[in-house]
């Protein structure tokens, strides 16, 4: 042998050894697939009897142990084993068994004979099965040489001596079923299972299906298990279950049947009906959770079976989800129902009904907070019914609820393209522009709504426009564009012609550049209205026309229409430029004030003096306030602060304590907190300020009056 | 939810005309002055079904009954005699009903003796 050839053989042997070991490892673990693969390779690289034997054993074990394999694949494995080890009687024997189980009796007989030929020790096994196969195929096993190899017990089993049994079989073989009934009854003790089964056949042939069912059940319970019995019992169970459709016994029947034929689709469908009905009963009793559980169970089974889910079931699940507040699941289930709606035929859903359900789903999604899905649902509805503007409007509203202003604007503009005068759409567009905050655009949008014939929306638009005109007018005034301000306020006046303060504001806007028109506007002002006279008088002061201011003041006071508080407010407004006139207003206010208003007015005047650095007068007015009401808190606050500034700490603390008592009596925890803060600061050696006290009072709230009373005029 | 169809004595498949007809018949039998509670019940049931929108809303909230059952066509039973059944008892004592054949297994050599 050449060196090269010897080298190749050596490599081949090494490979074979490696594969053999790999196969052995897999075989030991029970992984016969891998063992077969490895040993097949090993055998290919080096043919060997021992590898062939091992491979045959692997095929054999795979055939015997893997029950999930089909009879054909089992047979393939056994044939492979026999091919590899043709002298091994076990493989032929198991081929016989597999063929026998399949009812292939000639093949089984041949395999048993071969096994018997090879077997020298356990010959009774193939002999017994050979005789059994011969008997089953209608041949006389006693005439075969194998019969002599059987034990007496085995021989007795294969040649039943019971005459009734033999007679019954003989009659059955001839098809004389009715005649076989009596011998079968007599043979009931000899072969009870066999007898019960064929008595069932006879009963069924007679038309007595109930009796047949009972016989078959007895045969089954006695261990009789043949394909024909399973087939017949399944039919009998199904017929019984259908007959019990409305009876509570149905559940029991199905439970019993499931042990025998768990995979029967008909019986499974009936079980689903039982569960469906249990759900309905639970829902009718108000137990929606139980109902939901039952219905879900049915749906799961149907999904597993890849079967159609009835619409009734979906509707019930969706309804139960709603009852349980599971909005999202309810919406999803309704959607599934919509997808499965009948689209043709006599039960076809109307477009209106479909759209109504889409809208309901939209509401459910919105409740669940899924605005994206909600909008998507509405888009489906719009697709189904594009001419229905209510759907498009609902979509805009949904976007607005979700503060998705951009989509809302796009959606409403699409509506306005087809219906440019649609009042609700115009109103929604106006609402969308409100979110932008551009006053010009807002006014333009609301003006379009106001111009529509729709009473409700145009009324709403006028109310909104009134506020917007005033807001823009005030803005123009703040930038001293009085002409634009006057134009807006004039428009506002057209919407609220009786608003006296609006007349006053309009006049105030005109006073600088059109005093005559201002005068005319002021003539419309009801001076008794809160603050109206003040606006008029202040306006004249602001343009330096004291004469006109005095004239209007006189008109207001002589007619008794300027309240003392407004006189003080007017004084505060002009104090810096017209101190003498201010003092006159203050005195006039004090003179006219009711007794219970005096402490407040005097304190306010005191604060106004303090702002102007007239501390002596300020102190004096505060003392006068306390003369009217010794416990008046705001006056004590001012006196406390002034005493603190002047280093009179005990006196200041005394005032603050009294102010605190007043605040508590008034149930003004906010003011009390501020005073306590001032006391703490003072006790720690710091100087409290008015801001420390007022910081706790909401500057935007109704307490602005209180802040002003305390001397804070910035509000 | 009370089933308005039941109150009006109708099936779920009733037409709008059926609903109206049933309502007027029942109202004549239960006038408000003689049977105020009965009238209210009938009226409420009618209101729940009187327009397609209301009816759709109501239908959605009602418990849906089982869809009608269509019995399947069952296969015919096997009423013939099977020769093998005669030997059923003998089969019971055979390997045909056995599942464990581990006693038939043989060991394999640890090494491929011929190669080594």
């Amino acid at each position: 042998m050449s060196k090269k050839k010897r080298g190749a053989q050596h490599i081949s042997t090494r490979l074979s050894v490696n594969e053999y070991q790999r196969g052995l490892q897999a075989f030991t673990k029970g992984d016969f697939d891998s063992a077969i693969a490895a040993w097949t390779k090993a055998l290919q690289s080096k043919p060997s009897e021992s590898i062939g034997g091992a491979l045959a054993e692997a095929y054999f074990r795979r055939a015997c142990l893997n029950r999930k394999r089909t009879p054909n694949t089992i047979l393939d494995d056994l044939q492979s084993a026999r091919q590899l080890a043709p002298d091994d009687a076990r493989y032929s024997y198991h081929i016989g068994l597999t063929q026998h189980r399949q009812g292939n009796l000639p093949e089984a007989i041949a395999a048993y004979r071969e096994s018997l030929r090879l077997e020298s020790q356990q010959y009774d096994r193939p002999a017994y099965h050979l005789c059994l196969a011969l008997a089953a195929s209608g041949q006389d096993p006693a005439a075969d040489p194998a019969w002599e190899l059987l034990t007496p017990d085995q021989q007795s089993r294969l040649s039943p001596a019971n005459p009734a049994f033999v007679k019954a079989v003989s009659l059955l073989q001839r098809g004389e079923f009715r005649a076989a009934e009596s011998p079968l009854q007599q043979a009931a003790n000899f072969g009870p299972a066999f007898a019960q089964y064929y008595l069932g056949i006879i009963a069924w042939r007679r038309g007595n299906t109930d009796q047949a069912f009972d016989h078959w059940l007895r045969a089954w319970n006695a261990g009789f298990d043949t394909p024909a019995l399973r087939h017949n019992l399944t039919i009998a169970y199904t017929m019984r279950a259908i007959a019990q459709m409305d009876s509570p016994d149905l559940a029991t029947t199905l439970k019993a049947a499931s042990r025998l034929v768990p995979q029967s689709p008909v019986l499974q469908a009936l079980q689903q009906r039982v569960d469906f009905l249990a759900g309905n009963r639970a829902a009718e009793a108000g137990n929606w959770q139980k109902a939901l559980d039952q219905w879900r169970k049915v749906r799961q089974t149907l999904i597993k079976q890849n079967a159609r889910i009835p619409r009734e079931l979906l509707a019930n699940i969706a309804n139960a989800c709603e009852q349980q507040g599971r909005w999202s699941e309810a919406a999803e289930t309704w959607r599934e129902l919509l997808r499965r709606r009948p689209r043709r035929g006599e039960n076809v859903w109307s477009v209106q009904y479909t759209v109504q359900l889409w809208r309901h789903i939209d509401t459910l999604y919105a409740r669940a907070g899924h605005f994206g899905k909600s909008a998507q649902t509405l888009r489906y509805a719009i697709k189904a019914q594009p001419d229905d503007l209510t759907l498009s409007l609902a979509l805009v509203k949904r976007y607005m609820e979700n503060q998705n202003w951009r989509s809302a604007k796009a959606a409403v503009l699409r509506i306005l393209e087809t219906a440019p005068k649609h009042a609700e759409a115009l109103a929604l567009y106006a609402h969308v522009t409100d979110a932008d905050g551009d006053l010009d655009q807002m006014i333009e949008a609301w003006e379009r709504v106001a111009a529509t014939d729709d009473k409700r929306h145009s009324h709403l638009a006028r109310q909104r426009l009134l506020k917007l005109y005033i807001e823009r007018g005030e803005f123009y005034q703040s930038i001293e564009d009085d002409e634009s301000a006057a134009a807006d306020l004039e428009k506002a006046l057209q919407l609220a012609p009786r608003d006296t303060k609006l007349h006053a504001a309009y006049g105030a806007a005109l006073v600088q550049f059109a005093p005559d028109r201002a005068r005319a506007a002021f003539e419309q002002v009801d001076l008794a209205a809160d603050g109206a006279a003040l606006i008029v008088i202040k306006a004249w002061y602001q343009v330096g026309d004291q004469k006109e201011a005095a004239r209007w003041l006189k008109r207001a006071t002589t007619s008794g229409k300027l309240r003392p508080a407004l006189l003080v407010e007017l004084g505060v407004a002009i104090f810096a430029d017209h101190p003498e006139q201010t003092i006159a207003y203050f005195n006039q206010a004090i003179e006219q004030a009711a007794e219970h208003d005096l402490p407040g007015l005097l304190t306010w005047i005191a604060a106004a003096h303090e702002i102007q650095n007239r501390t002596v007068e300020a102190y004096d007015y505060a003392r006068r306030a306390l003369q009217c009401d010794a416990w008046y808190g705001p006056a004590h606050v001012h006196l406390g602060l002034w005493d603190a500034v002047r280093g009179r700490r005990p006196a200041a603390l005394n005032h603050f304590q009294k102010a605190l008592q007043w605040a508590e009596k008034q149930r003004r925890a906010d003011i009390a907190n501020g005073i306590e803060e001032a006391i703490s600061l003072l006790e720690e050696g710091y100087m409290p300020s008015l801001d420390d006290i007022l910081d706790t009072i909401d500057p935007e709230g109704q307490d602005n009056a209180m802040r002003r009373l305390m001397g804070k005029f910035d509000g | 939810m009370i089933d308005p169809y039941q109150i009006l004595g109708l099936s779920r498949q009733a037409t709008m005309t059926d609903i109206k007809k049933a309502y007027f018949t029942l109202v004549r039998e239960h006038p408000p002055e003689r049977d105020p509670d009965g009238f209210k019940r009938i009226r409420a049931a009618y209101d729940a079904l009187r327009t397609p929108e209301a009816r759709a809303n109501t239908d959605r909230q009602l418990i849906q009954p089982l869809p009608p059952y269509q019995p399947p066509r069952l296969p015919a039973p096997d009423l013939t005699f099977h020769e093998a059944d005669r030997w059923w008892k003998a089969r019971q004592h055979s390997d045909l009903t056995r599942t464990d054949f581990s006693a038939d297994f043989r060991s394999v050599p640890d090494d491929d003796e011929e190669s080594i």
Side-chain angles (χ1 to χ4, degrees):
Chain A
M1 191 184 286
S2 71
K3 199 175 175 183
K4 199 175 174 184
K5 263 193 175 173
R6 275 205 307 279
Q9 194 180 35
H10 176 70
I11 290 166
S12 167
T13 307
R14 288 291 302 227
L15 274 174
S16 166
V17 171
N18 286 344
E19 288 299 342
Y20 186 81
Q21 286 303 325
R22 196 171 297 130
L24 192 62
Q25 276 175 10
F27 182 85
T28 313
K29 283 181 199 161
D31 178 2
F32 302 116
D33 292 342
S34 303
I36 288 167
W39 284 340
T40 304
K41 266 191 193 174
L43 198 62
Q44 279 165 356
S45 59
K46 187 174 186 306
S48 130
E49 200 176 314
S50 61
I51 298 176
L55 183 55
E57 188 65 23
Y59 276 121
F60 177 56
R61 289 197 186 188
R62 187 165 77 173
C64 291
L65 292 174
N66 197 340
R67 302 219 169 86
K68 283 182 184 167
R69 293 162 72 81
T70 62
N72 283 343
T73 54
I74 291 171
L75 263 180
D76 286 346
D77 277 351
L78 291 171
Q79 303 279 19
S80 300
R82 185 168 63 175
Q83 220 170 348
L84 288 158
D87 296 336
D88 196 323
R90 291 175 304 150
Y91 305 146
S92 304
Y93 175 63
H94 277 269
I95 288 171
L97 281 181
T98 310
Q99 297 282 23
H100 199 158
R101 281 197 200 99
Q102 290 299 103
N104 303 328
L105 295 176
E107 290 83 352
I109 289 166
Y112 289 142
R113 282 197 195 288
E114 190 185 337
S115 172
L116 199 56
R117 186 177 59 76
L118 297 166
E119 185 59 80
S120 57
Q121 291 169 351
Q122 292 184 11
Y123 53 81
D124 64 314
R125 278 174 81 194
Y128 178 67
H129 288 84
L130 171 62
C131 291
L132 185 58
L134 287 169
S137 62
Q139 299 173 56
D140 181 6
D144 196 275
W147 183 258
E148 298 306 320
L149 299 171
L150 303 187
T151 63
D153 267 359
Q154 287 172 330
Q155 286 182 349
S156 129
R157 264 184 240 129
L158 288 166
S159 57
N162 185 296
F165 183 83
V166 173
K167 190 179 176 189
V169 168
S170 164
L171 289 164
L172 289 171
Q173 279 171 332
R174 291 205 297 271
E176 295 174 30
F177 283 84
R178 192 163 285 190
E181 187 171 14
S182 172
L184 278 171
Q185 279 163 348
Q186 288 165 27
N189 286 335
F190 176 73
F194 175 87
Q196 289 299 338
Y197 176 66
Y198 281 98
L199 283 170
I201 297 280
I202 292 162
W204 190 286
R205 281 171 168 264
R206 222 183 7 241
N208 193 340
T209 51
D210 282 347
Q211 200 182 21
F213 178 77
D214 292 341
H215 280 303
W216 287 338
L217 211 52
R218 277 186 218 134
W220 172 262
N221 289 334
F224 198 74
D225 183 6
T226 66
L229 173 65
R230 278 179 182 260
H231 174 77
N232 291 349
L233 252 184
T234 305
I235 294 167
Y237 261 127
T238 309
M239 285 174 67
R240 180 162 282 202
I242 292 170
Q244 290 173 338
M245 185 64 78
D246 299 321
S247 152
D249 295 339
L250 176 60
T252 319
T253 303
L254 292 172
K255 201 173 170 187
S258 70
R259 284 197 290 269
L260 173 71
V261 274
Q263 303 300 326
S264 162
V266 180
L267 292 172
Q268 278 179 348
L270 288 168
Q271 182 61 50
Q272 283 152 14
R273 291 182 71 81
V274 169
D275 293 336
F276 192 123
L277 274 179
N280 282 24
R281 277 196 295 275
E284 276 155 16
N287 190 345
W288 286 98
Q289 184 55 55
K290 191 181 170 190
L292 187 57
D293 291 343
Q294 288 288 345
W295 291 328
R296 277 183 181 154
K297 188 176 146 192
V298 179
R299 179 160 70 168
Q300 280 310 313
T301 321
L302 289 168
I303 290 169
K304 265 189 202 165
Q305 292 169 349
N306 211 12
R308 193 185 66 84
I309 299 172
R311 284 192 289 276
E312 291 85 350
L313 179 64
L314 288 173
N316 282 348
I317 291 174
N319 195 359
C321 288
E322 282 188 37
Q323 296 288 341
Q324 296 287 96
R326 298 166 192 265
W327 311 122
S328 187
E329 193 182 342
E332 296 291 343
T333 313
W334 285 122
R335 278 188 72 172
E336 192 180 341
L337 178 63
L338 262 174
R339 279 196 295 275
R340 290 161 190 247
R341 69 185 182 274
R343 290 161 200 266
R344 55 184 74 86
E346 60 179 61
N347 293 325
V348 65
W349 284 15
S350 69
V351 175
Q352 288 80 0
Y353 185 77
T354 309
V355 167
Q356 202 176 342
L357 193 50
W358 277 125
R359 290 205 66 172
H360 182 66
I361 294 167
D362 152 61
T363 314
L364 292 171
Y365 274 136
R367 271 185 175 180
H370 300 318
F371 288 104
K373 283 186 176 175
S374 157
Q376 178 64 43
T377 308
L378 277 173
R379 283 199 290 271
Y380 284 131
I382 292 166
K383 204 174 163 188
Q385 209 163 10
D387 296 336
D388 186 347
L389 280 185
T390 58
L391 293 171
S392 305
L393 292 167
L395 180 63
V396 177
K397 285 177 200 163
R398 196 58 82 218
Y399 282 135
M400 286 167 68
E401 276 167 16
N402 197 23
Q403 301 197 339
N404 184 351
W405 303 111
R406 206 171 146 186
S407 299
K409 194 172 184 177
V412 76
L413 283 173
R414 274 198 298 276
I415 301 173
L416 289 171
E417 270 174 27
T418 50
K421 290 185 179 173
H422 194 286
E424 194 179 352
L426 286 168
L428 286 175
Y429 178 73
H431 278 298
V432 172
T433 56
D434 276 355
D436 280 349
D438 183 326
L439 270 174
D440 294 339
Q441 270 192 26
M442 285 152 76
I443 287 171
E444 191 190 331
W446 284 109
E447 278 173 345
R448 285 173 69 192
V449 183
T452 62
D453 296 334
D454 185 291
K455 274 186 187 170
R456 191 169 66 89
H457 287 106
S458 80
H459 176 70
L460 178 80
R462 284 198 298 276
Q463 281 180 329
R464 184 84 186 107
L465 275 172
L466 177 61
K467 283 182 185 165
L468 290 172
Y469 286 140
I470 294 170
E471 196 180 331
R472 194 167 66 177
E474 283 172 353
F475 165 73
Y476 282 135
Q477 273 183 312
S478 72
I479 58 167
E480 294 180 4
D481 181 355
D482 287 338
E483 285 186 43
S484 300
D488 272 341
L489 292 172
E490 191 176 1
K491 284 180 191 168
L493 266 175
Q494 283 167 9
L495 296 169
R498 289 181 189 170
D499 188 327
T500 193
K501 270 182 92 172
L502 198 52
H503 279 289
Y506 175 52
L510 289 167
V511 79
Q512 184 79 42
F513 68 95
D516 291 340
R517 281 170 63 200
R519 251 180 228 105
F522 288 149
E523 287 302 330
Q524 304 296 316
V525 174
D526 175 5
L527 294 175
D530 202 12
L534 189 65
I535 295 170
V536 178
I537 299 160
K538 267 165 76 178
W540 289 118
Y541 270 120
Q542 273 165 6
V543 292
D545 193 338
Q546 290 185 41
K547 201 175 157 191
E548 198 67 16
R551 190 173 75 82
W552 279 95
L553 181 65
K554 197 176 173 189
R555 270 179 73 174
T557 46
T558 49
S559 58
K561 286 173 183 172
L562 198 63
R563 289 193 293 111
L566 291 174
L567 274 170
V568 175
E569 200 177 338
L570 178 61
V572 169
I574 63 168
F575 206 163
D577 298 329
H578 308 283
E580 284 173 18
Q581 189 59 51
T582 300
I583 301 296
Y585 290 161
F586 287 164
N587 288 336
Q588 205 177 331
I590 293 164
E591 226 171 81
Q592 289 175 10
E595 200 175 326
H596 63 273
D597 288 335
L598 266 175
L601 276 183
L602 288 165
T603 309
W604 193 358
I605 294 167
H609 278 90
E610 176 68 6
I611 300 288
Q612 300 299 324
N613 288 323
R614 295 170 176 245
T615 46
V616 176
E617 289 92 335
Y619 198 82
D620 187 43
Y621 276 112
R623 301 291 318 174
R624 280 175 68 186
L626 287 182
Q627 279 166 9
C628 298
D629 178 356
W631 288 95
Y632 191 63
H636 278 298
V637 168
H638 286 296
L639 288 168
L641 286 167
W642 296 330
D643 279 339
V645 170
R646 284 162 183 77
R648 296 195 290 262
R649 204 164 149 266
L653 276 173
N654 184 36
H655 281 302
F656 285 148
Q657 290 296 351
K658 284 180 178 164
L660 185 60
Q661 284 176 32
W662 173 85
E664 283 166 354
K665 203 175 170 187
Q666 300 290 319
R667 297 187 178 179
R668 293 298 304 263
D670 51 346
I671 299 174
N673 283 344
I675 296 166
E676 277 173 348
E677 175 72 16
I679 291 170
S680 301
L681 287 168
L682 200 58
E683 282 174 346
E684 286 165 21
Y686 297 104
M687 186 60 63
S689 69
L690 190 59
D691 283 339
D692 293 325
I693 297 170
L694 294 182
D695 273 354
T696 52
I697 304 175
D698 177 13
E700 300 295 329
Q702 293 177 337
D703 281 331
N704 211 18
M706 179 61 75
R707 288 169 64 85
R708 288 196 295 180
L709 185 66
M710 302 279 263
K712 192 81 179 171
F713 297 105
D714 56 359
Chain B
M1 186 187 189
I2 297 163
D3 187 346
Y5 291 98
Q6 218 173 352
I7 293 170
L8 298 178
L10 295 166
S11 80
R12 298 261 174 106
Q13 284 73 40
T15 63
M16 295 309 279
T17 320
D18 296 337
I19 292 168
K20 206 169 185 177
K21 210 168 150 186
Y23 168 66
F24 284 118
T25 309
L26 283 170
V27 160
R28 268 195 293 277
E29 287 168 16
H30 302 269
E33 57 277 10
R34 253 199 357 240
D35 181 8
D37 289 341
F39 174 77
K40 267 187 208 164
R41 212 173 58 246
I42 294 158
R43 177 75 202 179
Y46 180 58
D47 282 343
L49 302 174
R50 66 185 302 181
T51 64
E53 290 76 22
R55 190 177 176 183
N57 257 331
T58 305
D59 284 352
R60 209 178 48 236
Q61 291 169 58
L62 288 175
I63 301 165
Q64 301 300 316
L66 260 174
Y69 183 69
Q70 289 177 338
R73 269 189 67 180
L74 295 174
D78 181 349
L79 301 176
T80 57
F81 175 68
H82 293 273
E83 187 65 32
D85 291 350
R86 179 183 173 186
W87 310 109
W88 176 76
K89 205 172 173 184
R91 277 175 74 99
Q92 291 300 97
H93 290 87
S94 75
D95 282 350
L96 295 169
T97 53
R98 217 171 114 184
T99 51
D100 181 9
F101 289 99
S102 52
D104 288 353
F105 297 162
R106 284 189 198 150
S107 58
V108 296
D110 285 346
D111 297 307
D112 176 13
E113 289 155 8
E114 290 164 40
S115 301
I116 299 157

